[in-house]
Amino acid sequence: MERIVAPSVLSLEFSQIVTQLKRVEVAGAAWLHYDVMDGVFVPNISFGPGILKQVDKLSDLYMDVHLMIQSPQQYFDAFIESGADSITFHVECFENVEEGLAAVKYLKSKGIGAGITLRPGTDVSAIVPYLKSVDLVLVMSVEPGFGGQAFIPEMLDRIAQLNEMRQLNNYAYRISVDGGINDRTGAQCRAKGADVLVAGSYVFSDDIEKAVASLL
């Protein structure tokens, strides 16, 4: 699969939004990563569908939406209408696999990419029933909720495990990694099988073009 960089809108400087969105696109980023937090599932609050709609108007990049919220399925339509190309939700938000798989099926019926993710402390076995159906598996390499955290090295084994399951079963999902990504950790993730690298503070804190190039 191709190598994808997905700069995180969470770290974007909104007073320079037009310039920064153009710079990541010119640098070779193919996706934008949009974190949604509700202050309940995670102890932080970020953006809703209204801001996504504005960002989508300013960029033609693939819009990768990560819902860190309770009852994510209630908000699928709002984010789809606002420009989401892919929506990833947490396995912990559903009481049973049937409900979660129904959510995946609904997203696909709308022509939207469906992704599954889990907290670093949740066992991988929780997402195994989803692997044959989803388009994306997001490995959280930090505890979800805040930007700027340090990469959890143990998550490299999780990436390798998901890559092995993908190859053994001929599954089609991409493996994305979010949290503490920079040139060093990004290279480690790529070596274990990651396709998509989500990076916020690393991309937007200094030289955008250099940062994106280092992750590609």
Side-chain angles (χ1 to χ4, degrees):
M1 291 188 184
E2 75 270 38
R3 293 185 168 195
I4 294 169
V5 174
S8 175
V9 174
L10 196 63
S11 298
L12 190 148
E13 174 56 62
F14 272 80
S15 65
Q16 302 174 37
I17 184 170
V18 175
T19 302
Q20 291 199 343
L21 288 176
K22 181 52 67 178
R23 286 178 69 185
V24 296
E25 185 173 352
V26 170
W31 291 14
L32 285 175
H33 187 80
Y34 189 84
D35 285 311
V36 182
M37 303 182 238
D38 62 358
V40 180
F41 183 72
V42 292
N44 199 3
I45 294 173
S46 63
F47 321 108
I51 299 295
L52 177 64
K53 194 173 221 171
Q54 299 304 311
V55 174
D56 190 53
K57 285 179 182 176
L58 297 172
S59 177
D60 293 327
L61 297 182
Y62 186 91
M63 212 59 74
D64 172 38
V65 175
H66 175 199
L67 299 182
M68 289 173 270
I69 62 176
Q70 297 282 31
S71 305
Q73 69 277 24
Q74 293 183 19
Y75 300 93
F76 285 168
D77 287 340
F79 284 101
I80 292 168
E81 290 162 10
S82 295
D85 294 301
S86 175
I87 293 178
T88 297
F89 58 84
H90 276 259
V91 70
E92 298 94 347
C93 290
F94 289 91
E95 289 188 8
N96 58 65
V97 172
E98 289 73 25
E99 287 181 8
L101 288 174
V104 170
K105 188 175 181 181
Y106 182 78
L107 289 172
K108 288 177 165 273
S109 76
K110 295 290 185 178
I112 300 297
I116 192 72
T117 187
L118 66 172
R119 296 180 186 274
T122 301
D123 195 89
V124 169
S125 61
I127 64 167
V128 167
Y130 295 86
L131 296 182
K132 65 180 180 295
S133 305
V134 294
D135 304 293
L136 183 79
V137 177
L138 175 61
V139 174
M140 291 303 300
S141 44
V142 298
E143 192 61 39
F146 293 94
Q149 297 179 67
F151 184 88
I152 301 172
E154 290 79 10
M155 292 301 102
L156 291 170
D157 291 336
R158 177 165 289 186
I159 297 166
Q161 187 178 0
L162 286 164
N163 187 42
E164 183 179 10
M165 285 191 277
R166 176 170 63 179
Q167 292 173 344
L168 286 173
N169 296 286
N170 202 27
Y171 290 148
Y173 56 80
R174 288 186 170 98
I175 299 171
S176 179
V177 188
D178 181 7
I181 295 296
N182 54 37
D183 54 347
R184 181 182 58 82
T185 58
Q188 291 173 331
C189 293
R190 294 275 192 217
K192 296 294 185 180
D195 311 292
V196 184
L197 298 179
V198 176
S201 49
Y202 177 68
V203 167
F204 290 113
S205 63
D206 191 18
D207 187 331
I208 290 175
E209 290 79 6
K210 183 179 178 183
V212 171
S214 74
L215 298 176
L216 287 169

